[in-house]
Amino acid sequence: MSLTSTKADGAQIVTVNAERIDAAIAIQFKEDMRSETESGPHRVILDLSAVQFIDSSGLGAIVAAMKQLGGGRRLDLAGPTPMVEKVFRLTRMDTIFNLYGSLNEAVAATKT
Amino acid sequence: MADTFACSFTATELDARSGISLVVKRLRDFNLPEERVGDVQIALAEAVNNVVEHAYSGQATGDVRIRCDLEREQLWIRISDAGPPFPDDQLPAGERADVSGPLEDLPEGGFGWFLIRELTNRIHYERQNGNNQLSLCFELSTLKGS
């Protein structure tokens, strides 16, 4: 799994450099998210714009990544492709996460 | 005109990923609309992941066989495995997971059968000659879950 992490305007941006977050990668994704976000800003933005497909294991791993942030920190999602957005919508997880159409939108929301 | 193809792979997570990607590639060759290909990919991945996780647990891993039949406006995908049958020969109900509780209680799984039922138009399951045969039907003239 390849994650890259940067900081912008007080938020940490974690970019997923993979086309799929599926059963084969879900556990590693969760662990990699843990090490990337062990410490850092209150707000973490997960950039999903490269992800073309997510299954229920991948969805569960993103939920786990949010829960393991703890301490009132939050995980926002940026740039979901239509299929990724659909999985969040069908499972009602779109009511749990803030979803932004693009990374720029998500970063802009930090400032307000 | 009918289009048919079949493939099989070992029931491991990585082989399942390439198997699912192969099926998706063939469906695109059938000129299915991209959104419908997406629905099929989600439902198929959940069904195949269930086989990998449950059907062959506690025994030697076997094969997953997939057969797709596209006829007129219907796509049938049959997924077969040689694992034990579903409990009581019944498919899971697939209720939507409850996300209304506090954050720390949010479900991290249990979405699979809900997604399969949400994205398919018909589901048929039978146990035949020691094999599970799960058939998922997608009506191509309508979009589900949109």
Side-chain angles (χ1 to χ4, degrees), chain A residues 20 22-24 53 55-56 60 63-64 66-67 83 86-87 89-90 92-93 96, chain B residues 13 17 21 35 39 41-42 45-46 49 96 99 104 106-108 114 144-145:
Chain A
R20 305 171 74 87
D22 60 12
F53 177 76
D55 65 11
S56 62
V63 173
M66 175 179 62
K67 285 155 88 169
M83 213 195 306
K86 188 167 196 172
V87 170
R89 181 161 43 81
L90 289 174
R92 301 275 194 267
M93 281 296 174
I96 304 296
Chain B
E13 286 169 348
R17 175 192 278 179
S21 300
E35 184 174 4
D39 291 350
Q41 177 165 204
I42 295 166
E46 298 303 335
N49 287 344
R96 191 196 302 270
V99 301
E104 61 267 25
L106 277 180
E108 293 174 30
F114 169 75
K144 282 205 82 190

PDB file of all heavy atoms in Angstrom, chain A residues 20 22-24 53 55-56 60 63-64 66-67 83 86-87 89-90 92-93 96, chain B residues 13 17 21 35 39 41-42 45-46 49 96 99 104 106-108 114 144-145:
ATOM      1  N   ARG A  20      -7.176   0.531  -5.837  1.00  0.00           N
ATOM      2  CA  ARG A  20      -8.198  -0.243  -5.128  1.00  0.00           C
ATOM      3  C   ARG A  20      -7.904  -0.262  -3.636  1.00  0.00           C
ATOM      4  O   ARG A  20      -6.753  -0.414  -3.231  1.00  0.00           O
ATOM      5  CB  ARG A  20      -8.211  -1.703  -5.622  1.00  0.00           C
ATOM      6  CG  ARG A  20      -8.389  -1.873  -7.109  1.00  0.00           C
ATOM      7  CD  ARG A  20      -8.171  -3.312  -7.509  1.00  0.00           C
ATOM      8  NE  ARG A  20      -9.292  -4.164  -7.128  1.00  0.00           N
ATOM      9  CZ  ARG A  20     -10.365  -4.344  -7.878  1.00  0.00           C
ATOM     10  NH1 ARG A  20     -10.460  -3.753  -9.041  1.00  0.00           N
ATOM     11  NH2 ARG A  20     -11.342  -5.129  -7.471  1.00  0.00           N
ATOM     12  N   ASP A  22      -9.267  -2.825  -1.330  1.00  0.00           N
ATOM     13  CA  ASP A  22     -10.105  -4.018  -1.328  1.00  0.00           C
ATOM     14  C   ASP A  22      -9.639  -4.989  -0.247  1.00  0.00           C
ATOM     15  O   ASP A  22      -8.759  -4.673   0.559  1.00  0.00           O
ATOM     16  CB  ASP A  22     -10.114  -4.684  -2.715  1.00  0.00           C
ATOM     17  CG  ASP A  22      -8.722  -5.118  -3.167  1.00  0.00           C
ATOM     18  OD1 ASP A  22      -7.779  -5.115  -2.344  1.00  0.00           O
ATOM     19  OD2 ASP A  22      -8.573  -5.456  -4.352  1.00  0.00           O
ATOM     20  N   ALA A  23     -10.252  -6.170  -0.235  1.00  0.00           N
ATOM     21  CA  ALA A  23      -9.972  -7.154   0.811  1.00  0.00           C
ATOM     22  C   ALA A  23      -8.485  -7.505   0.890  1.00  0.00           C
ATOM     23  O   ALA A  23      -7.957  -7.781   1.970  1.00  0.00           O
ATOM     24  CB  ALA A  23     -10.803  -8.412   0.570  1.00  0.00           C
ATOM     25  N   ALA A  24      -7.800  -7.473  -0.265  1.00  0.00           N
ATOM     26  CA  ALA A  24      -6.401  -7.880  -0.286  1.00  0.00           C
ATOM     27  C   ALA A  24      -5.502  -6.854   0.407  1.00  0.00           C
ATOM     28  O   ALA A  24      -4.369  -7.166   0.785  1.00  0.00           O
ATOM     29  CB  ALA A  24      -5.941  -8.110  -1.736  1.00  0.00           C
ATOM     30  N   PHE A  53     -11.866   1.873  -6.965  1.00  0.00           N
ATOM     31  CA  PHE A  53     -12.754   0.821  -6.464  1.00  0.00           C
ATOM     32  C   PHE A  53     -12.529   0.594  -4.982  1.00  0.00           C
ATOM     33  O   PHE A  53     -11.390   0.563  -4.511  1.00  0.00           O
ATOM     34  CB  PHE A  53     -12.495  -0.502  -7.215  1.00  0.00           C
ATOM     35  CG  PHE A  53     -13.329  -1.643  -6.712  1.00  0.00           C
ATOM     36  CD1 PHE A  53     -14.674  -1.724  -7.042  1.00  0.00           C
ATOM     37  CD2 PHE A  53     -12.791  -2.607  -5.881  1.00  0.00           C
ATOM     38  CE1 PHE A  53     -15.460  -2.756  -6.553  1.00  0.00           C
ATOM     39  CE2 PHE A  53     -13.573  -3.647  -5.387  1.00  0.00           C
ATOM     40  CZ  PHE A  53     -14.910  -3.719  -5.733  1.00  0.00           C
ATOM     41  N   ASP A  55     -14.235  -1.958  -1.742  1.00  0.00           N
ATOM     42  CA  ASP A  55     -15.245  -2.941  -1.349  1.00  0.00           C
ATOM     43  C   ASP A  55     -15.535  -2.776   0.136  1.00  0.00           C
ATOM     44  O   ASP A  55     -15.034  -1.849   0.785  1.00  0.00           O
ATOM     45  CB  ASP A  55     -14.805  -4.373  -1.714  1.00  0.00           C
ATOM     46  CG  ASP A  55     -13.574  -4.823  -0.947  1.00  0.00           C
ATOM     47  OD1 ASP A  55     -13.155  -4.136   0.011  1.00  0.00           O
ATOM     48  OD2 ASP A  55     -13.026  -5.886  -1.309  1.00  0.00           O
ATOM     49  N   SER A  56     -16.351  -3.688   0.698  1.00  0.00           N
ATOM     50  CA  SER A  56     -16.766  -3.493   2.091  1.00  0.00           C
ATOM     51  C   SER A  56     -15.582  -3.626   3.049  1.00  0.00           C
ATOM     52  O   SER A  56     -15.578  -2.986   4.103  1.00  0.00           O
ATOM     53  CB  SER A  56     -17.879  -4.470   2.462  1.00  0.00           C
ATOM     54  OG  SER A  56     -17.441  -5.792   2.363  1.00  0.00           O
ATOM     55  N   GLY A  60     -14.618  -0.736   5.618  1.00  0.00           N
ATOM     56  CA  GLY A  60     -14.386  -1.022   7.036  1.00  0.00           C
ATOM     57  C   GLY A  60     -13.034  -0.499   7.498  1.00  0.00           C
ATOM     58  O   GLY A  60     -12.892   0.001   8.620  1.00  0.00           O
ATOM     59  N   VAL A  63     -13.277   3.205   8.071  1.00  0.00           N
ATOM     60  CA  VAL A  63     -13.964   3.437   9.349  1.00  0.00           C
ATOM     61  C   VAL A  63     -12.995   3.186  10.506  1.00  0.00           C
ATOM     62  O   VAL A  63     -12.908   3.984  11.451  1.00  0.00           O
ATOM     63  CB  VAL A  63     -15.214   2.529   9.472  1.00  0.00           C
ATOM     64  CG1 VAL A  63     -15.823   2.644  10.859  1.00  0.00           C
ATOM     65  CG2 VAL A  63     -16.243   2.889   8.409  1.00  0.00           C
ATOM     66  N   ALA A  64     -12.243   2.096  10.416  1.00  0.00           N
ATOM     67  CA  ALA A  64     -11.274   1.770  11.467  1.00  0.00           C
ATOM     68  C   ALA A  64     -10.211   2.864  11.576  1.00  0.00           C
ATOM     69  O   ALA A  64      -9.789   3.232  12.681  1.00  0.00           O
ATOM     70  CB  ALA A  64     -10.623   0.417  11.170  1.00  0.00           C
ATOM     71  N   MET A  66     -10.567   5.970  10.963  1.00  0.00           N
ATOM     72  CA  MET A  66     -11.134   7.121  11.670  1.00  0.00           C
ATOM     73  C   MET A  66     -11.199   6.851  13.168  1.00  0.00           C
ATOM     74  O   MET A  66     -10.832   7.702  13.980  1.00  0.00           O
ATOM     75  CB  MET A  66     -12.532   7.437  11.147  1.00  0.00           C
ATOM     76  CG  MET A  66     -13.194   8.555  11.952  1.00  0.00           C
ATOM     77  SD  MET A  66     -14.828   8.982  11.379  1.00  0.00           S
ATOM     78  CE  MET A  66     -15.688   7.455  11.629  1.00  0.00           C
ATOM     79  N   LYS A  67     -11.661   5.646  13.536  1.00  0.00           N
ATOM     80  CA  LYS A  67     -11.810   5.332  14.954  1.00  0.00           C
ATOM     81  C   LYS A  67     -10.464   5.360  15.671  1.00  0.00           C
ATOM     82  O   LYS A  67     -10.358   5.796  16.826  1.00  0.00           O
ATOM     83  CB  LYS A  67     -12.490   3.970  15.126  1.00  0.00           C
ATOM     84  CG  LYS A  67     -13.977   4.025  14.834  1.00  0.00           C
ATOM     85  CD  LYS A  67     -14.530   2.696  14.404  1.00  0.00           C
ATOM     86  CE  LYS A  67     -14.983   1.812  15.531  1.00  0.00           C
ATOM     87  NZ  LYS A  67     -15.734   0.647  15.036  1.00  0.00           N
ATOM     88  N   MET A  83     -17.753   5.521  -8.077  1.00  0.00           N
ATOM     89  CA  MET A  83     -18.018   4.212  -7.476  1.00  0.00           C
ATOM     90  C   MET A  83     -17.744   4.213  -5.976  1.00  0.00           C
ATOM     91  O   MET A  83     -18.467   3.604  -5.195  1.00  0.00           O
ATOM     92  CB  MET A  83     -17.173   3.136  -8.161  1.00  0.00           C
ATOM     93  CG  MET A  83     -17.932   1.817  -8.197  1.00  0.00           C
ATOM     94  SD  MET A  83     -16.930   0.404  -8.589  1.00  0.00           S
ATOM     95  CE  MET A  83     -16.182   0.886 -10.083  1.00  0.00           C
ATOM     96  N   LYS A  86     -20.507   5.963  -4.259  1.00  0.00           N
ATOM     97  CA  LYS A  86     -21.716   5.132  -4.221  1.00  0.00           C
ATOM     98  C   LYS A  86     -21.706   4.162  -3.039  1.00  0.00           C
ATOM     99  O   LYS A  86     -22.723   3.966  -2.380  1.00  0.00           O
ATOM    100  CB  LYS A  86     -21.854   4.364  -5.538  1.00  0.00           C
ATOM    101  CG  LYS A  86     -23.174   3.636  -5.676  1.00  0.00           C
ATOM    102  CD  LYS A  86     -23.380   3.177  -7.108  1.00  0.00           C
ATOM    103  CE  LYS A  86     -24.832   2.815  -7.340  1.00  0.00           C
ATOM    104  NZ  LYS A  86     -25.106   2.547  -8.765  1.00  0.00           N
ATOM    105  N   VAL A  87     -20.554   3.556  -2.779  1.00  0.00           N
ATOM    106  CA  VAL A  87     -20.459   2.621  -1.654  1.00  0.00           C
ATOM    107  C   VAL A  87     -20.699   3.355  -0.334  1.00  0.00           C
ATOM    108  O   VAL A  87     -21.407   2.856   0.548  1.00  0.00           O
ATOM    109  CB  VAL A  87     -19.092   1.903  -1.657  1.00  0.00           C
ATOM    110  CG1 VAL A  87     -18.870   1.124  -0.375  1.00  0.00           C
ATOM    111  CG2 VAL A  87     -18.989   0.967  -2.859  1.00  0.00           C
ATOM    112  N   ARG A  89     -22.501   6.057  -0.010  1.00  0.00           N
ATOM    113  CA  ARG A  89     -23.893   6.489   0.019  1.00  0.00           C
ATOM    114  C   ARG A  89     -24.820   5.315   0.358  1.00  0.00           C
ATOM    115  O   ARG A  89     -25.705   5.433   1.206  1.00  0.00           O
ATOM    116  CB  ARG A  89     -24.272   7.107  -1.337  1.00  0.00           C
ATOM    117  CG  ARG A  89     -25.683   7.613  -1.417  1.00  0.00           C
ATOM    118  CD  ARG A  89     -25.844   8.610  -2.571  1.00  0.00           C
ATOM    119  NE  ARG A  89     -25.167   8.198  -3.794  1.00  0.00           N
ATOM    120  CZ  ARG A  89     -25.668   7.311  -4.662  1.00  0.00           C
ATOM    121  NH1 ARG A  89     -26.841   6.769  -4.447  1.00  0.00           N
ATOM    122  NH2 ARG A  89     -24.989   6.993  -5.749  1.00  0.00           N
ATOM    123  N   LEU A  90     -24.604   4.175  -0.298  1.00  0.00           N
ATOM    124  CA  LEU A  90     -25.486   3.025  -0.063  1.00  0.00           C
ATOM    125  C   LEU A  90     -25.441   2.568   1.390  1.00  0.00           C
ATOM    126  O   LEU A  90     -26.446   2.166   1.953  1.00  0.00           O
ATOM    127  CB  LEU A  90     -25.096   1.853  -0.985  1.00  0.00           C
ATOM    128  CG  LEU A  90     -25.410   2.022  -2.470  1.00  0.00           C
ATOM    129  CD1 LEU A  90     -24.818   0.851  -3.254  1.00  0.00           C
ATOM    130  CD2 LEU A  90     -26.910   2.104  -2.708  1.00  0.00           C
ATOM    131  N   ARG A  92     -24.781   4.431   3.896  1.00  0.00           N
ATOM    132  CA  ARG A  92     -25.059   5.584   4.764  1.00  0.00           C
ATOM    133  C   ARG A  92     -23.805   6.128   5.462  1.00  0.00           C
ATOM    134  O   ARG A  92     -23.902   6.936   6.374  1.00  0.00           O
ATOM    135  CB  ARG A  92     -26.118   5.272   5.833  1.00  0.00           C
ATOM    136  CG  ARG A  92     -27.451   4.834   5.276  1.00  0.00           C
ATOM    137  CD  ARG A  92     -28.320   6.033   4.922  1.00  0.00           C
ATOM    138  NE  ARG A  92     -29.703   5.646   4.704  1.00  0.00           N
ATOM    139  CZ  ARG A  92     -30.231   5.332   3.516  1.00  0.00           C
ATOM    140  NH1 ARG A  92     -29.476   5.343   2.437  1.00  0.00           N
ATOM    141  NH2 ARG A  92     -31.501   5.025   3.408  1.00  0.00           N
ATOM    142  N   MET A  93     -22.642   5.642   5.064  1.00  0.00           N
ATOM    143  CA  MET A  93     -21.409   6.158   5.654  1.00  0.00           C
ATOM    144  C   MET A  93     -21.168   7.601   5.210  1.00  0.00           C
ATOM    145  O   MET A  93     -20.349   8.304   5.793  1.00  0.00           O
ATOM    146  CB  MET A  93     -20.212   5.281   5.269  1.00  0.00           C
ATOM    147  CG  MET A  93     -20.118   4.011   6.078  1.00  0.00           C
ATOM    148  SD  MET A  93     -19.842   4.349   7.844  1.00  0.00           S
ATOM    149  CE  MET A  93     -19.963   2.694   8.521  1.00  0.00           C
ATOM    150  N   ILE A  96     -21.673   9.918   7.981  1.00  0.00           N
ATOM    151  CA  ILE A  96     -20.698   9.871   9.072  1.00  0.00           C
ATOM    152  C   ILE A  96     -19.479  10.726   8.747  1.00  0.00           C
ATOM    153  O   ILE A  96     -18.940  11.435   9.575  1.00  0.00           O
ATOM    154  CB  ILE A  96     -20.239   8.413   9.324  1.00  0.00           C
ATOM    155  CG1 ILE A  96     -21.448   7.503   9.612  1.00  0.00           C
ATOM    156  CG2 ILE A  96     -19.193   8.337  10.424  1.00  0.00           C
ATOM    157  CD1 ILE A  96     -22.207   7.855  10.871  1.00  0.00           C
TER     158      ILE A  96
ATOM    159  N   GLU B  13      -7.168 -13.814  -1.603  1.00  0.00           N
ATOM    160  CA  GLU B  13      -7.517 -12.409  -1.812  1.00  0.00           C
ATOM    161  C   GLU B  13      -6.879 -11.836  -3.073  1.00  0.00           C
ATOM    162  O   GLU B  13      -7.510 -11.105  -3.823  1.00  0.00           O
ATOM    163  CB  GLU B  13      -7.116 -11.585  -0.585  1.00  0.00           C
ATOM    164  CG  GLU B  13      -8.054 -11.813   0.584  1.00  0.00           C
ATOM    165  CD  GLU B  13      -7.538 -11.230   1.886  1.00  0.00           C
ATOM    166  OE1 GLU B  13      -6.357 -10.838   1.942  1.00  0.00           O
ATOM    167  OE2 GLU B  13      -8.337 -11.170   2.853  1.00  0.00           O
ATOM    168  N   ARG B  17      -8.712 -10.679  -6.561  1.00  0.00           N
ATOM    169  CA  ARG B  17      -8.589  -9.340  -7.146  1.00  0.00           C
ATOM    170  C   ARG B  17      -8.353  -9.428  -8.653  1.00  0.00           C
ATOM    171  O   ARG B  17      -9.024  -8.756  -9.429  1.00  0.00           O
ATOM    172  CB  ARG B  17      -7.438  -8.583  -6.486  1.00  0.00           C
ATOM    173  CG  ARG B  17      -7.197  -7.246  -7.129  1.00  0.00           C
ATOM    174  CD  ARG B  17      -5.903  -6.638  -6.665  1.00  0.00           C
ATOM    175  NE  ARG B  17      -6.041  -5.978  -5.379  1.00  0.00           N
ATOM    176  CZ  ARG B  17      -5.021  -5.381  -4.760  1.00  0.00           C
ATOM    177  NH1 ARG B  17      -3.825  -5.389  -5.310  1.00  0.00           N
ATOM    178  NH2 ARG B  17      -5.197  -4.786  -3.612  1.00  0.00           N
ATOM    179  N   SER B  21     -11.028  -8.330 -11.592  1.00  0.00           N
ATOM    180  CA  SER B  21     -10.618  -7.351 -12.610  1.00  0.00           C
ATOM    181  C   SER B  21     -10.783  -7.905 -14.020  1.00  0.00           C
ATOM    182  O   SER B  21     -11.164  -7.173 -14.941  1.00  0.00           O
ATOM    183  CB  SER B  21      -9.163  -6.930 -12.385  1.00  0.00           C
ATOM    184  OG  SER B  21      -9.032  -6.342 -11.111  1.00  0.00           O
ATOM    185  N   GLU B  35     -21.421   2.848 -15.279  1.00  0.00           N
ATOM    186  CA  GLU B  35     -22.017   2.834 -13.938  1.00  0.00           C
ATOM    187  C   GLU B  35     -22.515   1.433 -13.580  1.00  0.00           C
ATOM    188  O   GLU B  35     -22.407   0.987 -12.431  1.00  0.00           O
ATOM    189  CB  GLU B  35     -23.169   3.845 -13.844  1.00  0.00           C
ATOM    190  CG  GLU B  35     -23.721   3.889 -12.432  1.00  0.00           C
ATOM    191  CD  GLU B  35     -24.773   4.964 -12.220  1.00  0.00           C
ATOM    192  OE1 GLU B  35     -25.138   5.641 -13.193  1.00  0.00           O
ATOM    193  OE2 GLU B  35     -25.230   5.093 -11.071  1.00  0.00           O
ATOM    194  N   ASP B  39     -21.556  -1.240 -10.519  1.00  0.00           N
ATOM    195  CA  ASP B  39     -22.465  -1.994  -9.643  1.00  0.00           C
ATOM    196  C   ASP B  39     -22.098  -3.471  -9.623  1.00  0.00           C
ATOM    197  O   ASP B  39     -22.053  -4.109  -8.575  1.00  0.00           O
ATOM    198  CB  ASP B  39     -23.916  -1.878 -10.149  1.00  0.00           C
ATOM    199  CG  ASP B  39     -24.473  -0.476  -9.985  1.00  0.00           C
ATOM    200  OD1 ASP B  39     -23.816   0.348  -9.322  1.00  0.00           O
ATOM    201  OD2 ASP B  39     -25.566  -0.208 -10.515  1.00  0.00           O
ATOM    202  N   GLN B  41     -19.266  -4.822 -10.352  1.00  0.00           N
ATOM    203  CA  GLN B  41     -17.979  -5.054  -9.706  1.00  0.00           C
ATOM    204  C   GLN B  41     -18.119  -5.089  -8.173  1.00  0.00           C
ATOM    205  O   GLN B  41     -17.529  -5.934  -7.508  1.00  0.00           O
ATOM    206  CB  GLN B  41     -16.953  -3.996 -10.106  1.00  0.00           C
ATOM    207  CG  GLN B  41     -15.632  -4.199  -9.374  1.00  0.00           C
ATOM    208  CD  GLN B  41     -14.435  -3.465  -9.928  1.00  0.00           C
ATOM    209  OE1 GLN B  41     -13.318  -3.887  -9.703  1.00  0.00           O
ATOM    210  NE2 GLN B  41     -14.636  -2.387 -10.646  1.00  0.00           N
ATOM    211  N   ILE B  42     -18.920  -4.185  -7.634  1.00  0.00           N
ATOM    212  CA  ILE B  42     -19.092  -4.166  -6.183  1.00  0.00           C
ATOM    213  C   ILE B  42     -19.757  -5.461  -5.706  1.00  0.00           C
ATOM    214  O   ILE B  42     -19.254  -6.141  -4.810  1.00  0.00           O
ATOM    215  CB  ILE B  42     -19.941  -2.937  -5.740  1.00  0.00           C
ATOM    216  CG1 ILE B  42     -19.199  -1.627  -6.058  1.00  0.00           C
ATOM    217  CG2 ILE B  42     -20.248  -3.009  -4.253  1.00  0.00           C
ATOM    218  CD1 ILE B  42     -20.083  -0.383  -5.982  1.00  0.00           C
ATOM    219  N   ALA B  45     -17.469  -8.501  -6.209  1.00  0.00           N
ATOM    220  CA  ALA B  45     -16.355  -8.516  -5.254  1.00  0.00           C
ATOM    221  C   ALA B  45     -16.827  -8.976  -3.876  1.00  0.00           C
ATOM    222  O   ALA B  45     -16.149  -9.775  -3.219  1.00  0.00           O
ATOM    223  CB  ALA B  45     -15.721  -7.119  -5.158  1.00  0.00           C
ATOM    224  N   GLU B  46     -18.004  -8.513  -3.453  1.00  0.00           N
ATOM    225  CA  GLU B  46     -18.515  -8.935  -2.142  1.00  0.00           C
ATOM    226  C   GLU B  46     -18.790 -10.431  -2.131  1.00  0.00           C
ATOM    227  O   GLU B  46     -18.471 -11.132  -1.167  1.00  0.00           O
ATOM    228  CB  GLU B  46     -19.783  -8.157  -1.778  1.00  0.00           C
ATOM    229  CG  GLU B  46     -19.601  -6.652  -1.643  1.00  0.00           C
ATOM    230  CD  GLU B  46     -18.548  -6.250  -0.630  1.00  0.00           C
ATOM    231  OE1 GLU B  46     -18.269  -7.025   0.304  1.00  0.00           O
ATOM    232  OE2 GLU B  46     -17.970  -5.147  -0.785  1.00  0.00           O
ATOM    233  N   ASN B  49     -15.415 -12.254  -2.211  1.00  0.00           N
ATOM    234  CA  ASN B  49     -14.737 -12.119  -0.911  1.00  0.00           C
ATOM    235  C   ASN B  49     -15.359 -13.035   0.136  1.00  0.00           C
ATOM    236  O   ASN B  49     -14.650 -13.589   0.983  1.00  0.00           O
ATOM    237  CB  ASN B  49     -14.800 -10.667  -0.412  1.00  0.00           C
ATOM    238  CG  ASN B  49     -13.884  -9.748  -1.194  1.00  0.00           C
ATOM    239  OD1 ASN B  49     -12.999 -10.197  -1.904  1.00  0.00           O
ATOM    240  ND2 ASN B  49     -14.104  -8.456  -1.069  1.00  0.00           N
ATOM    241  N   ARG B  96     -29.088  -3.500   6.318  1.00  0.00           N
ATOM    242  CA  ARG B  96     -28.148  -2.390   6.306  1.00  0.00           C
ATOM    243  C   ARG B  96     -27.536  -2.238   7.698  1.00  0.00           C
ATOM    244  O   ARG B  96     -28.236  -2.257   8.706  1.00  0.00           O
ATOM    245  CB  ARG B  96     -28.892  -1.104   5.946  1.00  0.00           C
ATOM    246  CG  ARG B  96     -27.963   0.065   5.635  1.00  0.00           C
ATOM    247  CD  ARG B  96     -28.709   1.386   5.671  1.00  0.00           C
ATOM    248  NE  ARG B  96     -29.827   1.459   4.758  1.00  0.00           N
ATOM    249  CZ  ARG B  96     -29.743   1.891   3.498  1.00  0.00           C
ATOM    250  NH1 ARG B  96     -28.588   2.281   3.019  1.00  0.00           N
ATOM    251  NH2 ARG B  96     -30.796   1.922   2.732  1.00  0.00           N
ATOM    252  N   VAL B  99     -25.559   2.674  11.451  1.00  0.00           N
ATOM    253  CA  VAL B  99     -24.476   3.651  11.625  1.00  0.00           C
ATOM    254  C   VAL B  99     -24.917   4.805  12.519  1.00  0.00           C
ATOM    255  O   VAL B  99     -24.292   5.863  12.538  1.00  0.00           O
ATOM    256  CB  VAL B  99     -23.969   4.206  10.267  1.00  0.00           C
ATOM    257  CG1 VAL B  99     -23.462   3.084   9.391  1.00  0.00           C
ATOM    258  CG2 VAL B  99     -25.048   4.992   9.528  1.00  0.00           C
ATOM    259  N   GLU B 104     -17.396   5.363  18.148  1.00  0.00           N
ATOM    260  CA  GLU B 104     -16.563   4.204  18.485  1.00  0.00           C
ATOM    261  C   GLU B 104     -17.298   2.877  18.257  1.00  0.00           C
ATOM    262  O   GLU B 104     -16.673   1.829  18.221  1.00  0.00           O
ATOM    263  CB  GLU B 104     -16.043   4.298  19.932  1.00  0.00           C
ATOM    264  CG  GLU B 104     -17.113   4.323  21.002  1.00  0.00           C
ATOM    265  CD  GLU B 104     -17.523   5.759  21.394  1.00  0.00           C
ATOM    266  OE1 GLU B 104     -17.342   6.663  20.549  1.00  0.00           O
ATOM    267  OE2 GLU B 104     -18.019   5.951  22.510  1.00  0.00           O
ATOM    268  N   LEU B 106     -19.178   2.352  15.482  1.00  0.00           N
ATOM    269  CA  LEU B 106     -19.491   2.199  14.060  1.00  0.00           C
ATOM    270  C   LEU B 106     -19.041   0.838  13.548  1.00  0.00           C
ATOM    271  O   LEU B 106     -17.952   0.372  13.894  1.00  0.00           O
ATOM    272  CB  LEU B 106     -18.782   3.285  13.245  1.00  0.00           C
ATOM    273  CG  LEU B 106     -19.442   4.647  13.150  1.00  0.00           C
ATOM    274  CD1 LEU B 106     -18.559   5.561  12.303  1.00  0.00           C
ATOM    275  CD2 LEU B 106     -20.832   4.552  12.546  1.00  0.00           C
ATOM    276  N   PRO B 107     -19.865   0.196  12.719  1.00  0.00           N
ATOM    277  CA  PRO B 107     -19.479  -1.120  12.180  1.00  0.00           C
ATOM    278  C   PRO B 107     -18.299  -1.004  11.211  1.00  0.00           C
ATOM    279  O   PRO B 107     -18.205  -0.044  10.454  1.00  0.00           O
ATOM    280  CB  PRO B 107     -20.745  -1.575  11.456  1.00  0.00           C
ATOM    281  CG  PRO B 107     -21.483  -0.320  11.123  1.00  0.00           C
ATOM    282  CD  PRO B 107     -21.167   0.652  12.214  1.00  0.00           C
ATOM    283  N   GLU B 108     -17.389  -1.977  11.277  1.00  0.00           N
ATOM    284  CA  GLU B 108     -16.263  -2.028  10.334  1.00  0.00           C
ATOM    285  C   GLU B 108     -16.447  -3.170   9.345  1.00  0.00           C
ATOM    286  O   GLU B 108     -15.562  -3.478   8.558  1.00  0.00           O
ATOM    287  CB  GLU B 108     -14.938  -2.191  11.106  1.00  0.00           C
ATOM    288  CG  GLU B 108     -14.621  -0.969  11.934  1.00  0.00           C
ATOM    289  CD  GLU B 108     -13.396  -1.152  12.819  1.00  0.00           C
ATOM    290  OE1 GLU B 108     -12.486  -1.912  12.437  1.00  0.00           O
ATOM    291  OE2 GLU B 108     -13.361  -0.541  13.908  1.00  0.00           O
ATOM    292  N   PHE B 114     -25.559  -6.749   2.315  1.00  0.00           N
ATOM    293  CA  PHE B 114     -26.428  -5.598   2.056  1.00  0.00           C
ATOM    294  C   PHE B 114     -26.133  -5.032   0.664  1.00  0.00           C
ATOM    295  O   PHE B 114     -27.042  -4.785  -0.133  1.00  0.00           O
ATOM    296  CB  PHE B 114     -26.237  -4.520   3.136  1.00  0.00           C
ATOM    297  CG  PHE B 114     -26.902  -3.233   2.779  1.00  0.00           C
ATOM    298  CD1 PHE B 114     -28.279  -3.099   2.877  1.00  0.00           C
ATOM    299  CD2 PHE B 114     -26.155  -2.171   2.308  1.00  0.00           C
ATOM    300  CE1 PHE B 114     -28.896  -1.910   2.512  1.00  0.00           C
ATOM    301  CE2 PHE B 114     -26.770  -0.980   1.942  1.00  0.00           C
ATOM    302  CZ  PHE B 114     -28.138  -0.852   2.046  1.00  0.00           C
ATOM    303  N   LYS B 144     -29.965   0.182 -10.386  1.00  0.00           N
ATOM    304  CA  LYS B 144     -30.337   0.067  -8.979  1.00  0.00           C
ATOM    305  C   LYS B 144     -29.369   0.870  -8.121  1.00  0.00           C
ATOM    306  O   LYS B 144     -28.239   1.093  -8.484  1.00  0.00           O
ATOM    307  CB  LYS B 144     -30.313  -1.397  -8.525  1.00  0.00           C
ATOM    308  CG  LYS B 144     -31.525  -2.167  -8.972  1.00  0.00           C
ATOM    309  CD  LYS B 144     -31.795  -3.341  -8.052  1.00  0.00           C
ATOM    310  CE  LYS B 144     -32.541  -2.938  -6.803  1.00  0.00           C
ATOM    311  NZ  LYS B 144     -32.596  -4.024  -5.825  1.00  0.00           N
ATOM    312  N   GLY B 145     -29.837   1.284  -6.982  1.00  0.00           N
ATOM    313  CA  GLY B 145     -28.957   1.912  -5.996  1.00  0.00           C
ATOM    314  C   GLY B 145     -28.458   3.285  -6.398  1.00  0.00           C
ATOM    315  O   GLY B 145     -27.517   3.795  -5.817  1.00  0.00           O
TER     316      GLY B 145
END
